[in-house]
């Protein structure tokens, strides 16, 4: 009679299979990270860190966390903030501005503008020690935008009635369900004017310009990098590598700069798990807000 394998042998086989499975998974993710072209594990001990501010600004936490991280780092002597943003919501833009201003008091920080650094994107750049832009960079747009839509005529045409219940006279100011009253328009305009004044003050302080000069520039129009240089809204023309060199000189770093680049992540892991882009975030944010909103934003 043929002897059957004992239970002990089967348990040993099972353990070996599980061990190889775990090792295979670990190797898979290890190679995914190792061969990622942008993985920054190799240069994590650099003396200049590049932080990116990309896309529409509707939150400040990620950028500010990185700025705080490199502010505390003893190895990092300077930070280059790479901005490619048309701006966004007022609050987050101001929070990034405040963090850049705080960093500038303790460590060298230089801004490198990409294709666009307008409105809230320019707001965030203002307190940096130096601002560099490409000749064709779109920047400026020092102003505030609030959109208002009325759909009451459409509702009447569709024979749909709407009623607003409120406590507080101005609680529904800007509602799309009815025509805006003159006093409501004046109230909202006053809000925008106050936000605009905050923007202009931040630019005047950050760029060391008198408020009269800023008033002439702050009608909401955009400028090219060349125009912004002439208007003293930026300090120099150049790209990211130029900004890194400026940061190295300002921070008095001897020799060649050792740059910590933004971690783009593994393309393989992105393909597996996906990545939410700024356009998706913008659509989600717009879908969750009221019909009126104040923005430091440039775009169509």
């Amino acid at each position: 009679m043929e002897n059957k394998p004992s239970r002990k042998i089967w348990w040993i086989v099972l353990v070996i299979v599980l061990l190889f499975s775990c090792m295979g998974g670990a190797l898979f993710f290890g190679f995914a990270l190792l061969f990622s072209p942008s993985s920054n594990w190799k240069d994590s001990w650099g003396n200049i860190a590049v932080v990116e501010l990309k896309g529409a600004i509707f939150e400040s936490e990620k950028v500010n966390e990185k700025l705080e991280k490199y502010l505390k780092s003893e190895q990092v002597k300077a930070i280059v903030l790479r901005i490619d943003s048309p701006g966004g919501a007022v609050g987050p833009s101001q929070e990034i501005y405040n963090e850049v201003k705080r960093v500038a008091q303790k460590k060298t920080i230089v801004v490198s503008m990409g294709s666009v650094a307008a409105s809230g994107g320019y707001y965030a750049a203002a307190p940096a020690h130096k601002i560099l832009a490409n000749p064709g960079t779109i920047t400026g747009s020092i102003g505030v935008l609030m959109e208002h839509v009325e759909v009451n005529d459409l509702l009447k045409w569709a024979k749909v009635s709407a009623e607003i219940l409120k406590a507080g006279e101005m609680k529904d100011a800007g509602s799309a369900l009815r025509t805006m009253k003159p006093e409501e328009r004046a109230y909202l305009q006053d809000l925008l004017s106050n936000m605009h004044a905050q923007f202009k003050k931040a630019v005047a302080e950050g760029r060391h310009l008198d408020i009269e000069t800023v008033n002439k520039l702050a009608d909401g129009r955009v400028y090219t990098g060349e125009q912004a240089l002439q208007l003293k809204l930026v300090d120099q023309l150049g790209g990211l590598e130029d900004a890194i060199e400026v940061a190295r000189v300002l921070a008095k770093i001897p020799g060649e700069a050792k740059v910590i680049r933004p971690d783009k992540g593994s393309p393989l892991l992105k393909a597996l798990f996906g990545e939410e882009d700024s356009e998706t975030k913008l659509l989600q944010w717009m879908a969750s807000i009221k019909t009126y909103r104040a923005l430091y934003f440039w775009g169509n």
Side-chain angles (χ1 to χ4, degrees):
M1 184 176 180
E2 187 176 347
N3 293 326
K4 294 182 180 180
S6 66
R7 289 186 179 183
K8 185 176 181 180
I9 295 176
W10 282 117
W11 277 111
I12 292 173
V13 172
L14 179 60
V15 169
I16 293 173
V17 170
L18 289 174
L19 283 173
F20 273 99
S21 298
C22 293
M23 290 174 62
L27 287 171
F28 172 80
F29 284 105
F31 278 112
L33 292 173
L34 181 62
F35 292 105
S36 169
S38 58
S39 180
N40 67 353
W41 66 272
K42 293 172 287 187
D43 57 3
S44 59
W45 298 99
N47 47 30
I48 296 179
V50 177
V51 176
E52 290 184 330
L53 173 56
K54 296 179 67 176
I57 303 171
F58 294 110
E59 60 92 17
S60 60
E61 185 176 0
K62 292 180 180 177
V63 172
N64 284 356
E65 282 181 352
K66 292 177 182 177
L67 291 174
E68 175 69 14
K69 170 186 174 182
Y70 294 124
L71 175 62
K72 292 181 177 179
S73 171
E74 294 183 1
Q75 289 83 16
V76 173
K77 306 302 180 184
I79 300 171
V80 174
L81 179 60
R82 175 69 170 181
I83 300 179
D84 207 332
S85 170
V90 171
S93 300
Q94 291 181 329
E95 288 177 346
I96 296 174
Y97 163 87
N98 287 329
E99 186 65 15
V100 172
K101 184 177 180 180
R102 190 173 75 90
V103 170
Q105 294 171 352
K106 302 178 181 179
K107 189 169 288 191
T108 298
I109 182 165
V110 174
V111 164
S112 169
M113 293 181 168
S115 59
V116 58
S119 204
Y122 183 77
Y123 198 122
H129 291 115
K130 294 289 182 180
I131 300 176
L132 279 74
N134 296 297
T137 295
I138 296 298
T139 188
S141 187
I142 303 170
V144 194
L145 174 68
M146 180 179 288
E147 297 175 345
H148 173 70
V149 177
E150 291 182 10
V151 298
N152 52 332
D153 289 339
L154 178 62
L155 293 177
K156 290 178 182 178
W157 173 82
K159 297 182 179 179
V160 175
S161 60
E163 184 177 0
I164 300 172
L165 302 177
K166 64 180 181 179
E169 185 62 30
M170 290 294 181
K171 189 62 178 178
D172 66 332
S175 172
L177 300 180
R178 59 175 178 76
T179 301
M180 188 183 296
K181 300 175 183 177
E183 59 269 26
E184 293 172 335
R185 182 172 282 104
Y187 156 66
L188 294 175
Q189 184 60 55
D190 186 58
L191 287 178
L192 293 178
S193 297
N194 183 265
M195 294 175 186
H196 193 201
Q198 295 172 30
F199 197 162
K200 291 187 288 186
K201 181 181 178 183
V203 172
E205 291 179 355
R207 299 299 303 157
H208 307 291
L209 299 171
D210 59 81
I211 197 65
E212 289 77 14
T213 299
V214 176
N215 283 335
K216 295 176 183 178
L217 306 175
D219 61 357
R221 74 182 68 192
V222 294
Y223 306 99
T224 66
E226 283 189 344
Q227 293 172 325
L229 178 62
Q230 296 172 359
L231 298 170
K232 298 183 179 180
L233 292 176
V234 305
D235 299 291
Q236 184 177 324
L237 297 181
L240 177 58
E241 298 306 316
D242 298 302
I244 291 171
E245 177 60 18
V246 169
R248 186 192 69 80
V249 173
L250 288 178
K252 299 179 180 179
I253 299 173
E256 185 178 352
K258 298 178 181 178
V259 184
I260 303 174
R261 306 279 178 174
D263 185 5
K264 306 295 183 182
S266 166
L268 179 56
L269 295 181
K270 286 184 180 180
L272 288 172
F273 301 112
E275 181 181 49
E276 186 179 45
D277 57 21
S278 60
E279 288 79 9
T280 301
K281 293 179 181 177
L282 173 60
L283 291 174
Q284 290 176 344
W285 184 81
M286 292 181 68
S288 66
I289 58 178
K290 297 181 179 180
T291 56
Y292 63 95
R293 59 198 183 275
L295 303 173
Y296 291 147
F297 189 80
W298 175 81
N300 297 322

